[in-house]
Amino acid sequence: MLARGIKRRGRSGAPRLFSLLLISIFANLLLWGRAGEADAQPRIDVVNVRDFGAAGDGATDDTSAIVKAFSETCTSGGGTIYLPPGIYIINPAAASIPICSDLAVHGPGTLKVKPDAGNYQAIFASNPPITALHNLTFTGITVDQNAAGNTTAAIDVADVRTHQRVWQVLGGTNVHFENMRLYVSGVNSIVVNGPTVSGVYINRNHVVFQKREGQPEFDNSAIYIDGDNFHVTDNTFLSTPADLARTAIEVHTGSGSVAGNTIDGFRNGMNLVDLKSSSVTGNNIRNAGYGISLWSLTKMDGVTVSGNTVAIAQVTRNIPSSWGIATSYNRGIHGDFFNLQISGNIVRFEPEHSPRTVSGWVSYGIGLQTLGNVTNALILGNEVLQAPARGIAVGVMDAKYTTSRVSVRNNRIIDAGSNFSSGAAPYSAAISLQGNLSSIDVLLNRLDFLSDPFIGRFSYWSFESGYRFRDVVVADNYATAVAGSPANGLTPSVVQTYPGQGTRVSDSPGVPSQGRLH
């Protein structure tokens, strides 16, 4: 190519010298390559989708060009695909884009679903779909599912062909989705789900959920992972109540971390199911109905939920039940929980200004109420503000299950029972204890009732009729009230002095004394 660009200059010999120089350099490089063949690195070829005819002009249908670029790259055993600046129109209803192992996709370009493309299962998928994908990376690109423009789509959760996924990965290891902007509209936007899934990294993405106007509400999750060694970190998830976004993050089965994410406008911040040795730390959830939900279908063990901030919009959403951080209470689901730590979180509810329907039974800032056994749990150093019914709830009213070895310590609960619903009043308490309980201690918590006039009912409340309380201690707590006084609703078997402490301190209002109870 270089020689073709050189003009002859008579018999001066300059072009000939240059050509001889090139030949010499090439020969030396060839000899060096052979000499160092053992240390040579493989050549990395970058595939540009424009080389396959993609226009990227926001109008041309680039589906066939992009499918061809991905297909040929995968057929050759993988590689790197570059999506240059531009808007590439795709029609996933006509063809999904094939993905494979050892594939890296990057670039500043945008893939946008064609207007009125209709129903489709996924934009990116392996072929066949159950193929395990190893070493798959997407970074930097933008994907716009064009919910407003795809007016002919109709999502049916029962029909996977209509799910409008962006990525569908049903097995594999070392899967990365990073630094992307995603405007999503489907049932599960990023699906990494399979028995061989391990090493999933979803980091620093900006995800906006947008429902097509007229589409009935449907169950959806922006991220759905079922696998081990997962890391969901520093992502931003945005939606609005009008778009009826259900869940930002749903993770099943394995071990890993969910950290530093911002979630705004989703009904459920997170659904975490059957996790083992995992941490959920430093997340910020706003305008939610339910913050962090812990589900056990069989067993959840060794999960730490710490340093999260959860803001519940129960009034704006007009929902009777709500919670900040809780084990799930769901009939038909009876798994057990072991070794939970819920510490250093802030849970804040919207103020209640007028009477409305409130469920006292499943409405709390932090709840260990589940149709299963709970063993070894620590609720430490949290702050719960303006819970409509209960600040912290421990135990379940079902004789088949026991909650044991739980410590509730050093929490601050402000204005628990801050609703105006008379129906919820019997359940309103800063801390409630119920069901079969064994080895429970509630110590060194601070309860403040700041409303004037007083709103709320109980500082502590317990229910053991038909159940068994064994070694349940509520002592050394501190409570204040600006106006009025909360009632002490503890039943007689609850020990209200710490063993060995001696006589119980008076619970006269306004006396900030150790051991004082209301």
Side-chain angles (χ1 to χ4, degrees):
M1 295 294 292
L2 286 174
R4 184 178 298 173
I6 299 175
K7 296 181 180 179
R8 286 190 172 274
R9 299 179 183 176
R11 300 180 181 271
S12 66
R16 178 178 177 83
L17 283 173
F18 186 73
S19 298
L20 290 172
L21 180 61
L22 287 176
I23 292 171
S24 176
I25 292 171
F26 178 79
N28 286 327
L29 286 174
L30 183 62
L31 289 172
W32 174 86
R34 287 176 178 172
E37 188 172 355
D39 299 322
Q41 297 297 316
R43 185 178 67 181
I44 299 176
D45 293 323
V46 177
V47 174
N48 190 321
V49 296
R50 289 188 182 271
D51 293 340
F52 287 79
D57 58 9
T60 303
D61 187 336
D62 288 324
T63 304
S64 59
I66 290 175
V67 167
K68 185 177 181 181
F70 277 74
S71 295
E72 292 195 8
T73 302
C74 286
T75 299
S76 67
T80 301
I81 295 177
Y82 177 64
L83 192 70
I87 299 176
Y88 301 84
I89 302 299
I90 56 173
N91 184 358
S96 61
I97 300 170
I99 52 179
C100 57
S101 295
D102 302 311
L103 177 67
V105 181
H106 71 100
T110 297
L111 296 175
K112 184 174 183 178
V113 172
K114 184 178 182 179
D116 291 332
N119 294 328
Y120 57 91
Q121 182 167 330
I123 294 176
F124 296 98
S126 59
N127 186 18
I130 60 172
T131 303
L133 304 180
H134 307 288
N135 307 318
L136 174 69
T137 297
F138 279 81
T139 183
I141 72 171
T142 297
V143 178
D144 183 355
Q145 290 194 269
N146 192 17
N150 194 3
T151 62
T152 59
I155 291 174
D156 178 1
V157 174
D159 186 351
V160 70
R161 296 172 299 176
T162 71
H163 278 193
Q164 294 184 29
R165 300 168 175 174
V166 181
W167 285 275
Q168 176 180 278
V169 178
L170 302 182
T173 58
N174 195 30
V175 179
H176 293 251
F177 300 99
E178 299 174 340
N179 298 303
M180 296 184 290
R181 298 186 71 85
L182 308 175
Y183 300 88
V184 303
S185 59
V187 173
N188 297 313
S189 303
I190 299 178
V191 178
V192 187
N193 176 14
T196 63
V197 166
S198 179
V200 182
Y201 301 84
I202 302 180
N203 304 324
R204 299 177 300 281
N205 300 287
H206 183 90
V207 184
V208 180
F209 179 86
Q210 302 167 320
K211 185 176 71 65
R212 174 184 64 79
E213 186 176 355
Q215 166 70 48
E217 184 177 5
F218 59 94
D219 194 9
N220 57 81
S221 298
I223 290 175
Y224 184 100
I225 300 171
D226 191 336
D228 197 21
N229 188 21
F230 57 83
H231 304 275
V232 183
T233 306
D234 295 332
N235 302 282
T236 298
F237 301 87
L238 301 177
S239 192
T240 66
D243 283 312
L244 301 175
R246 287 280 186 93
T247 306
I249 300 170
E250 182 163 340
V251 185
H252 292 241
T253 304
S255 302
S257 62
V258 180
N261 300 283
T262 296
I263 301 169
D264 193 345
F266 285 71
R267 192 189 74 172
N268 309 316
M270 305 178 195
N271 287 333
L272 307 175
V273 185
D274 283 350
L275 300 188
K276 315 292 188 298
S277 303
S278 297
S279 62
V280 183
T281 58
N283 301 283
N284 187 346
I285 301 172
R286 303 191 293 261
N287 297 308
Y290 310 89
I292 299 173
S293 299
L294 308 174
W295 297 69
S296 179
L297 307 182
T298 55
K299 178 181 179 181
M300 178 175 282
D301 191 357
V303 174
T304 297
V305 181
S306 64
N308 303 283
T309 301
V310 181
I312 302 298
Q314 81 284 0
V315 177
T316 298
R317 291 179 174 272
N318 194 27
I319 51 178
S321 65
S322 56
W323 58 74
I325 302 166
T327 56
S328 67
Y329 182 91
N330 196 300
R331 298 198 178 278
I333 296 177
H334 307 290
D336 296 332
F337 293 85
F338 299 87
N339 306 311
L340 298 183
Q341 178 176 321
I342 301 173
S343 60
N345 304 282
I346 299 174
V347 177
R348 179 180 290 105
F349 291 81
E350 283 182 328
E352 300 271 351
H353 294 297
S354 59
R356 68 182 191 92
T357 301
V358 174
S359 170
W361 197 245
V362 284
S363 183
Y364 26 68
I366 297 173
L368 297 184
Q369 178 178 245
T370 185
L371 293 172
N373 300 298
V374 177
T375 306
N376 292 340
L378 175 63
I379 301 176
L380 172 68
N382 303 281
E383 186 169 306
V384 179
L385 297 89
Q386 298 176 328
R390 300 174 178 182
I392 296 175
V394 176
V396 63
M397 289 190 184
D398 191 310
K400 292 190 293 293
Y401 307 110
T402 298
T403 301
S404 61
R405 297 198 292 275
V406 175
S407 183
V408 181
R409 297 185 177 221
N410 296 102
N411 302 282
R412 186 177 187 188
I413 303 172
I414 300 174
D415 285 338
S418 62
N419 65 83
F420 295 85
S421 170
S422 59
Y427 307 101
S428 294
I431 298 176
S432 68
L433 306 168
Q434 59 199 22
N436 291 326
L437 301 179
S438 175
S439 299
I440 310 293
D441 65 70
V442 179
L443 305 172
L444 303 174
N445 301 283
R446 173 165 180 151
L447 317 180
D448 290 324
F449 294 86
L450 305 180
S451 60
D452 187 3
F454 174 76
I455 302 172
R457 185 168 183 186
F458 295 106
S459 53
Y460 310 93
W461 176 89
S462 63
F463 187 89
E464 57 179 305
S465 178
Y467 304 99
R468 182 184 181 190
F469 277 27
R470 184 172 63 83
D471 188 22
V472 177
V473 178
V474 179
D476 285 359
N477 299 287
Y478 179 96
T480 65
V482 169
S485 180
N488 181 347
L490 293 174
T491 44
S493 68
V494 176
V495 178
Q496 298 190 46
T497 57
Y498 198 72
Q501 185 181 39
T503 59
R504 175 183 169 197
V505 177
S506 169
D507 52 352
S508 301
V511 181
S513 302
Q514 185 183 44
R516 181 176 146 254
L517 295 168
H518 292 289

